Amino acid sequence: MKRFIIPSLSLLGGLLLAFAWYPHGLPFLVFFAWIPFFFMSDVLLERGGKAAFVKGWLASWPGLMLWNLITTYWIGYCTIPGAIGAIVANSLLQAWVFGFWHCCRKYVKQEWIHPILLIAFWVSFEYLHLNWDLTWPWLNLGNVFAVCPQWVQWYSITGAMGGTVWILLLNFLLYYLIRQQAKTHRVAWGFITASALVFLIPVILSALMFKNAGESIDKSRPVNVVAVQQNTDPWEEEYSLTNEEQIQRIIEVSAPYIDENTELVVCPESSVPHNISLLDLQMRTFMPANTGYSGFFLLDSVIHTYPKLNYILGMSLFSLYDHPATLTARPVGEGTYVDVFNSALCYGANYYNGHYHKCRLVPGVEKMPFPKLLGFLGDVLIKLGGSNTSLGNDTIQRTFAIQSKGAELRVGAAICYESIYGELFGKFVQNGANLMTVITNDSWWDDSQGHKQHFEMSRLRAVETRRYIVRAANGGFSGIIDPCGNVLQKTNYNERTAIKETVYAQEGETFYVQHGDYIARISVFVALAGFLFTFVCWCIEAIKRIEN
């Protein structure tokens, strides 16, 4: 049985992590999920031998891959090879972090340093996953509390990285409690007290903040909004219907919910999917007979009836150049280059009212990761349903200025994947957003965990920024979320509908919005210091071995 103890502990940890994740709805399990991995590290250290990093890496990988598989299998609804690649690669990277910590643990004899090292290494890894070309922060540990934002109202101070620190710290305390109890058979009151305090203080603080934040919501500037769920089949309809037919559907779905007080209609990502020239929209030089553009004349007729109305539309925009003006511009003819963007467009009584190009692009689908290094994989990516080029992107989080009851309202529009990125989301608020929207097309994943998890993550963004969020998804879930993370309205999946709500423009910036992922940046510094300290410990041990 001893030979099975390592894989058994690894798989147990992976199962606990997986069932802590939504929609299983057992987030408290995450406070115990790392304990099996810590005991697994103990067993490996007791067995001794060389190659500590490799042993820790390989031992932790089965459990971490099981976690990835159970929680993100739904990527396969869009691309099976992509799902396999994401699950295997992400779990290998996570196991690499654990293996590195296990190796450091072998040489650093001061046990109180071990928790600091793993927390610093893991948070640094999550930060890397937010900011490199292979970005995939879906399973960052702090996201697990998306279904219970009442536990983590202090994310307005720390962001989701604070949740990662909380989870790992409590796991370590409970691990030491169990280990001491097993060794001494005496009640370890010190660890019991510390564990209780580490759990209860953030929860009590969150409860107080939840009450205070709810009472302090500014309701002096109401905004009447409609979120459209047009439910266009991404496989069969999205590119077979013309832009005009898509806009006609938007109008039909939203019409019963619009009145003279409606100021904003939020439509999903790719709600107008066929490429449209950004310059033509800005200059309004398109012709009515062109079905790529004529749908906007239908919007004009609605806006003529309701002049306060503004639409936020998910679009595919392009810009033409006579030279390679950007790194993503590609040639389409002699002396002509094009950039294609996944964009949000604001359209109102003055027609074009601003645009925002998606900044954080999906690796392998919207962006070629490390193009200089992996450019040779272009044809392979195309066969797997991806792209061998990259879409264009914005470098700042633009907001749209809308006149609302005689005052300027600024609206941010995070596009799909961007709603996972707390610091990026907060930059919309730094750039003036009083109200946030999320436009997405989660229908690629069918009725799986994917769209459910994605919806819940918007609740964390609401807490971090203290903004109302209007979420429009093509097939669901669409919804309205208040600044405390409460869901005010939510649609059903695979339903063609819209929802109407009065939300409120908010002012001010939270500590997290002002400072972003500062916990991660501190962790990177601590991780580097920990690496140097481990190297010194290794050198000292090596010298002792030579002397002996």
Side-chain angles (χ1 to χ4, degrees), residues 146-210:
V147 292
C148 48
Q150 64 273 17
W151 290 15
V152 288
Q153 292 295 303
W154 39 270
Y155 275 17
S156 63
I157 301 171
T158 69
M161 292 292 182
T164 298
V165 175
W166 187 34
I167 289 165
L168 290 174
L169 180 58
L170 191 53
N171 268 274
F172 268 110
L173 288 171
L174 292 173
Y175 155 72
Y176 287 131
L177 169 62
I178 296 169
R179 197 176 68 170
Q180 182 167 324
Q181 182 73 29
K183 284 182 178 180
T184 65
H185 301 290
R186 298 171 63 182
V187 178
W189 289 110
F191 284 117
I192 291 175
T193 302
S195 300
L197 289 175
V198 168
F199 176 73
L200 289 174
I201 289 175
V203 171
I204 293 170
L205 175 63
S206 185
L208 295 173
M209 293 179 71
F210 186 78

Side-chain angles (χ1 to χ4, degrees), residues 194-505:
S195 300
L197 289 175
V198 168
F199 176 73
L200 289 174
I201 289 175
V203 171
I204 293 170
L205 175 63
S206 185
L208 295 173
M209 293 179 71
F210 186 78
K211 182 176 184 296
N212 182 64
E215 293 174 350
S216 62
I217 293 175
D218 181 3
K219 295 189 175 182
S220 63
R221 296 180 60 192
V223 184
N224 296 286
V225 301
V226 171
V228 175
Q229 184 169 299
Q230 67 195 72
N231 203 36
T232 298
D233 188 317
W235 302 102
E236 301 294 335
E237 291 185 302
E238 184 166 317
Y239 294 101
S240 62
L241 297 178
T242 66
N243 283 349
E244 184 175 14
E245 290 170 324
Q246 298 278 16
I247 290 176
Q248 181 65 49
R249 178 172 290 180
I250 290 169
I251 292 172
E252 290 173 355
V253 172
S254 60
Y257 301 88
I258 295 174
D259 58 34
E260 63 277 3
N261 296 314
T262 307
E263 296 164 276
L264 185 63
V265 176
V266 184
C267 304
E269 177 189 25
S270 302
S271 52
V272 184
H274 297 287
N275 290 351
I276 285 182
S277 166
L278 175 58
L279 182 62
D280 284 343
L281 279 174
Q282 291 172 324
M283 303 302 294
R284 200 167 175 80
T285 55
F286 48 84
M287 299 297 293
N290 185 330
T291 56
Y293 300 88
S294 54
F296 289 93
F297 293 95
L298 298 177
L299 293 178
D300 292 342
S301 64
V302 179
I303 294 170
H304 179 75
T305 305
Y306 303 106
K308 297 179 182 178
L309 206 56
N310 293 270
Y311 285 88
I312 290 180
L313 302 160
M315 302 188 64
S316 181
L317 298 177
F318 70 88
S319 293
L320 294 174
Y321 318 108
D322 60 4
H323 64 289
T326 68
L327 293 175
T328 53
R330 55 186 185 268
V332 290
E334 188 175 350
T336 304
Y337 298 82
V338 66
D339 251 335
V340 180
F341 307 92
N342 183 352
S343 308
L345 173 77
C346 186
Y347 193 85
N350 296 320
Y351 309 119
Y352 167 85
N353 190 30
H355 70 275
Y356 166 68
H357 301 315
K358 186 178 181 181
C359 178
R360 200 56 56 92
L361 303 173
V362 180
V365 177
E366 296 176 320
K367 179 178 182 177
M368 164 64 78
F370 308 113
K372 292 182 179 180
L373 181 65
L374 301 179
F376 69 95
L377 293 176
D379 292 338
V380 175
L381 285 173
I382 289 175
K383 291 177 182 178
L384 298 182
S387 172
N388 66 344
T389 59
S390 296
L391 296 180
N393 62 283
D394 251 320
T395 55
I396 60 172
Q397 281 57 60
R398 305 175 191 274
T399 58
F400 306 131
I402 294 172
Q403 289 302 309
S404 173
K405 299 176 178 62
E408 184 179 79
L409 170 72
R410 299 202 73 90
V411 182
I415 302 174
C416 188
Y417 200 48
E418 294 183 322
S419 63
I420 316 172
Y421 297 82
E423 186 172 60
L424 180 145
F425 202 89
K427 288 178 181 177
F428 286 104
V429 176
Q430 286 184 343
N431 292 334
N434 314 110
L435 172 67
M436 283 300 302
T437 66
V438 173
I439 64 173
T440 185
N441 184 1
D442 296 340
S443 299
W444 299 103
W445 309 328
D446 209 343
D447 191 8
S448 65
Q449 292 183 19
H451 76 92
K452 299 172 185 176
Q453 293 169 357
H454 199 194
F455 177 88
E456 298 297 333
M457 289 185 195
S458 291
R459 301 175 70 182
L460 297 182
R461 306 292 86 80
V463 172
E464 289 170 346
T465 60
R466 295 301 183 196
R467 291 295 186 268
Y468 280 88
I469 295 179
V470 181
R471 190 178 195 273
N474 176 39
F477 300 134
S478 302
I480 312 292
I481 301 168
D482 78 5
C484 295
N486 297 311
V487 179
L488 304 182
Q489 285 198 61
K490 182 180 177 182
T491 63
N492 296 317
Y493 183 78
N494 199 29
E495 178 183 15
R496 186 165 297 153
T497 187
I499 52 178
K500 180 180 181 179
E501 185 68 60
T502 299
V503 298
Y504 300 90

